[in-house]
Amino acid sequence: MDQKISAYQFFILVFMNTLGTAILFIPTHATTYGKENGWITVVFATIFGLLVIAVYNAIFSKEETRSLFVIIDDNFGKWLGSISILFALLFAYFTTFANLWSIGQFVGLHILMGTPPEAIVLLVILTCLVGVRYGIEVIGRASEIFLPFTLISLILLVGLVWPEAQLDNIQPILQTNVAGAFVGIIPVIGITFLELFCLLGVIHRVNNIPQAKKAFFIGGLVAGFCMIIVTFACIAVIGVDGTIRHIYSIYFLGQNISIAEFFERVEGLVAFIWFITIFFKICTNFYFIAIAIKHLGGLKDFRTVTIPIAYFLFVSAVTSLPNIFYDFELMNSTYLVYAILTGFLLPILLLIVKIARKK
Amino acid sequence: MLFPTILLMIVSVIVFYLEYKRIKQKQAKKDNWVFMIFMVLATIFLFVYMCDLPTPDFVAFFEFLFKPIRGPFFTWLIQYQ
Amino acid sequence: MRLRSKKRTAEEKQKIIENISISDQAEISTSLRENDEIIRKMLGNSDDFISRKILLNKQQPIQVQLYYIDALVDKDTLQNDLLGCILNLPSKVDPSWKTEKDLYDFLQNETINTSDLTKIENLKELFSNLLSGDTIILIEGYSKAFATNTRGGQDRGVPEVTTQKIIRGPKEGFTERIGTNIGLVRRRIKDPNLWVKKYCIGEKTQTEVSIAYINGIVNDDIVKEVDQRLSRIEIDSILESGYIEQLIQDAKYSPFPTINNTERPDTIAAGLLEGRIAIFVDGSPFTLLVPALFTDFLQSSEDYYQRSDIGTLLRLLRTFAFFLAMMTPAGYIALTMFHQEMVPTTLLVGLAAQREGIPFPAFIEALIMEITFELLREAGVRLPSSVGSAISIVGALVLGQAAVEAGIVSSAMVIVVSLTAIASFVFPSYNLAITVRILRFGFMALAASFGFFGIFIGLILLVFHLVSLRSFGIPYTTPLAPFIAVDQKDVFVQSVLWKERTRPRLISQKNITRSKLNLPEAQKKKR
C-alpha cells in the first residue's frame, strides 16, 4: 500500500518544516548578527534558501519514482550510499530531539510553569508517534486542516503588532553591520532551509513530481516571507536590543501587544503557530528517520522501528542539552556544521555524481 | 523515581508484546528481528535514564565528530555577533 | 387424478423436518396430508398459524388448502381477493387443467385477484413466504405450491419525524415497513435510474435489506464495496439498521460515525442525488446513507430549504457548537487550574471568590457536574412524558441552585455545564452528539493535567484520527483534507442554490453537473 500525498499537502509540509523552529528563534538569531539589518539577513537567507531548494529539486528528475535513498544508493554505490544515508539519518535524529527538547523547554518555562519538561516531551513524542504510525498521508491531511489556523494566527499577530512598530528601530538600513548581516545568512539558513533535506525523503510520495517541485519552491518562498515579516516586526516593535536579549523574542512581542485595552496578551497566538509548525516538523523528521532505517535494514514496514525510535528520541531529548544558551551555541557551531554537511554538501555531491554519471 | 521506572518498564513489556504480535502477523522475519533488537536497546536506554545513570550523549558524539571544523568555524562566526 | 405419486415414510418425514433449515431442496409432496403434517410439525402447532381447507368443484372434488399466519396477513385482501374469488368460482368449473402450467395460468388469469402470485418449488421457500405474510395455496396432487401476496398486519402509517425535527420542510418520516420507505423515496425521485437491490440478511430473522442508488451518478466502486460488505455478513439476526451499520462500517474502533442515518426521506433523496447509497432495513425507520463524511453530520436538510445566508449562519453556528460542546469544560478547567493570567482581572477576582468555598479542584467539580448532567439527560430520555416535567424541576434545582448554595460547585461551573449541554443539542445528527459527549471527558482529563497545552495535544490527536478515517474508501474529512476547492461551496459556507452546480467531487466522480442554467441571470435578461 503506497501512501500518496498531493502537491498542495507537500507545500504545507514545506511551509511547516521551514517555520518549525524558525518562527521562534529566527528573529533573535538574525538580529544577533545583522543588528538592525536582521530582517535583510532573513531576506538574503530566503534567496539562498530558494537556491538550496533548487538544488534539492534538481536531484529529482521529472518522472522520478525512486525514493531519495534509492537515488543515493544508485549514485554512490551500496557502501558509500549507506554511509551517506546513515549520516543524514543521524542529522534528522539530531534535529528531531533538539526540536523536542526546545518544545519541552518552552512549554515548561512559559506556558505550564512547574510541569517537568520530561512530561511534556513524553506527551509530544507520543502524539507524534501516533501521527507517524498513521503514515505520511495522514500527516499531510492533518497539516491541511491546521494550515488555515496557522495562517490566520500569523496574520492576526502581524496585524496586531503593526500599530506599535517604530520605523526608527530599523534605521539605518544597510549602513552599519553589513558584514554581520551577510554572515548571519549562514546560521539562519542552517536552522531553516537546510533542514528541509528531510522532506526529500517524502517527495517521491507526491502524486505529481513536477508539481511537487513547484510546491517545494513556493513553500520555501511563503515561509521565507513569513520569517521576514516576523523578524521585521520584532525589530521594529521591541528594538534590536530587546530582540537579542529575549530568547523567544516573538513570544515577548506577543506579550507586549495591547490595543485599546482589549486585544491583550496575544502570545497564545505565537505559541499556537509555533506548536503546530514544530509538531509537523517533528513528525516529518521522525518519519524520515523511520523510512531511512527501513531502507537501510531492508525492512517491510517502516512502522517496525517507530516505537523504539520514540524511546530513543525521548531519552535523548531530555538528557542531551543542558540549557538554552548551550543550545544557541550548538546552533552556531556543531549543529550548523552538520546542517551544512548534510543539507548542502551532500545534495550537491549527489547532483555532481548524477550529472557526471549521465555523461 | 522507583514507581515511574517500574511503571514504564511494565508499559514497555506490554508494548513490546503487542507490537511483536502485530509484526509477526505480517510474516516479516527480518522486521521482527530488527524490532526486537531495537526495542531491547531502547528499553535499556530508557531504564538507564530512569535510574539516573549516564546515558550516551549524542550531542557530545557529534561535537567530537566535527571537532576539526567546529572550533575555527565558531570563532570565525562569533566575531560577527 | 394424481399426476405423480410420491409417498414418504415416517422416518423420511422426520428427516425433512429436522433438516429443513439446512437443506433447501426438500420438495413439496403431492399429498396434501403429508404436506400438512410437515408444515404443522415445523411450526410446532403454533396457534397463530391458520389453515383452511376448501373443496372446489363438487362433482369432481379438488382439495385446496390455504395456509397463513394470522397476524401477518391483511384480512381484507385475504377475504375479498383470495377467499372470495376461490369460493365464488362457479361450482361446475371444469378442471380441464392437466399440467401444472395450466393450473398456474388458471389461478393467475381467471381466479385470484391479488396483486401477485408466485410459484413455490420447495419447502424452504414455502416457509420463507409464509412467515413473510403470504398466503400459501396447496392443491391436492400437485408438487408445487403458490404464494399470494396478502402481506399486511399492523402498521403505523407514515408518521411525522420525531428525532430530526426541522421547521421548514416535509414532515413525513420513514416507518418500519421497508416497502413504504422505498416508496417514500421513489415518490421524490421519479427516475428509472434509481435502482434498488434486495438482500436477505440474518439466518433467523431473514430481514429484508435493500440498497438504493441512482445509476449514472453513483460511484460504481462504492456500490461494489457496499455489495461485498453486505454479502459478507453472517449473523443470526438483524433487528435494526444499527446492526448493519456496525457490521459494515470502516472504523470499528472509532468514536466517530462513518455511516449516516436518517429518518427523513428528503435527506435520503438528497443523498442519493449526490451519489450516495441508501441502505433500507426492514423493521427500522432509520435508513443508512453511505459514504458519510464528517461535515455531513454538521449539515441538515433544512439548510437547503432556506436561503443560503441562513444556511451558512446555521452551519457556522453548528461548527462552533461542536467545539463548544467538546471543549468548554476543558477550557474552564485549564483556565482556572493553569492559566489564571489569561482571565481578565475583574473576572478572575469574581471566580476566585466563588471558588473559595469549593472543596474540590476544578476538574473534580467539572466531572461531578458533567456526570450528573449526563445522568439527568439519560433519565429524561427514558422517562414517561408525565414524569418528565418533574425530572426537569429536580434537574434545574439540583444542578443549578442547590448545588451552588450547598457549596459543592461554583456557579460559574453551572454556566459551563449548561452551555455544554445546550451546544450538544444543536447537532442535527444524534451520532455526533454522542461522540462529542465521549470526547469531552478525554479533553477534560488532558486539560486537568496539561492545561491548554493538553487541549492542544488532544486536538492534534483528534485531527490525526479524523483524517485517518475513511468511509467506503472516501477520506472522512474530504472537502477539507484532501482540500477540494470547488466543494467548499457547500461545507461551512453554503453558497446560493443556483451556484451549486456540481456534485461533491470524490463521492460521485461522474455526472458532476447538477444544473446548467444560471437561473437568476436568465431572469435578469428577460427583463
Side-chain angles (χ1 to χ4, degrees), chain C residues 238-458:
Chain C
I238 298 289
L239 295 180
E240 217 273 343
S241 56
Y243 281 48
I244 298 280
E245 181 178 346
Q246 289 169 52
L247 290 168
I248 65 170
Q249 68 188 349
D250 290 67
K252 301 267 188 289
Y253 303 106
S254 170
F256 285 94
T258 45
I259 292 178
N260 207 346
N261 68 59
T262 181
E263 259 193 300
R264 311 187 53 83
D266 53 327
T267 308
I268 291 289
L272 291 176
L273 288 167
E274 279 182 346
R276 292 174 216 261
I277 301 168
I279 304 174
F280 297 90
V281 177
D282 195 28
S284 167
F286 291 95
T287 299
L288 308 177
L289 200 59
V290 295
L293 308 179
F294 177 69
T295 46
D296 295 343
F297 294 94
L298 297 173
Q299 298 174 358
S300 158
S301 58
E302 194 184 8
D303 299 351
Y304 300 95
Y305 305 150
Q306 284 165 340
R307 283 203 329 271
S308 68
D309 44 0
I310 300 171
T312 305
L313 178 73
L314 290 178
R315 281 185 186 181
L316 290 178
L317 208 62
R318 281 185 213 124
T319 316
F320 181 59
F322 174 73
F323 289 105
L324 212 59
M326 201 160 56
M327 293 194 286
T328 321
Y332 177 76
I333 291 168
L335 271 182
T336 51
M337 284 172 84
F338 290 96
H339 309 281
Q340 289 96 345
E341 81 278 357
M342 289 179 79
V343 188
T345 323
T346 38
L347 181 60
L348 187 65
V349 172
L351 274 181
Q354 278 174 28
R355 291 196 40 80
E356 205 174 5
I358 313 296
F360 310 112
F363 176 58
I364 303 291
E365 193 189 343
L367 213 57
I368 292 174
M369 287 300 279
E370 283 296 337
I371 289 174
T372 320
F373 174 72
E374 292 298 334
L375 286 177
L376 203 69
R377 163 143 82 179
E378 214 38 42
V381 174
R382 314 279 161 233
L383 273 177
S385 52
S386 50
V387 209
S389 56
I391 271 292
S392 56
I393 293 167
V394 169
L397 283 179
V398 168
L399 271 181
Q401 234 174 336
V404 173
E405 276 173 14
I408 297 171
V409 295
S410 59
S411 44
M413 195 69 230
V414 177
I415 299 174
V416 167
V417 172
S418 6
L419 197 63
T420 322
I422 296 166
S424 66
F425 285 119
V426 170
F427 310 119
S429 99
Y430 186 58
N431 300 20
L432 196 67
I434 299 178
T435 308
V436 167
R437 272 157 80 179
I438 299 169
L439 292 177
R440 184 188 305 148
F441 289 98
F443 272 102
M444 277 160 64
L446 274 171
S449 33
F450 291 99
F452 275 128
F453 187 68
I455 297 180
F456 172 76
I457 292 280

Side-chain angles (χ1 to χ4, degrees), chain A residues 41 74 166 185 200 221 235 280 285 289 313 315 335:
Chain A
T41 308
D74 286 356
Q166 292 165 325
I185 294 170
L200 288 180
L221 193 68
I235 301 172
F280 286 102
N285 282 330
I289 300 171
L313 281 172
V315 180
Y335 186 78

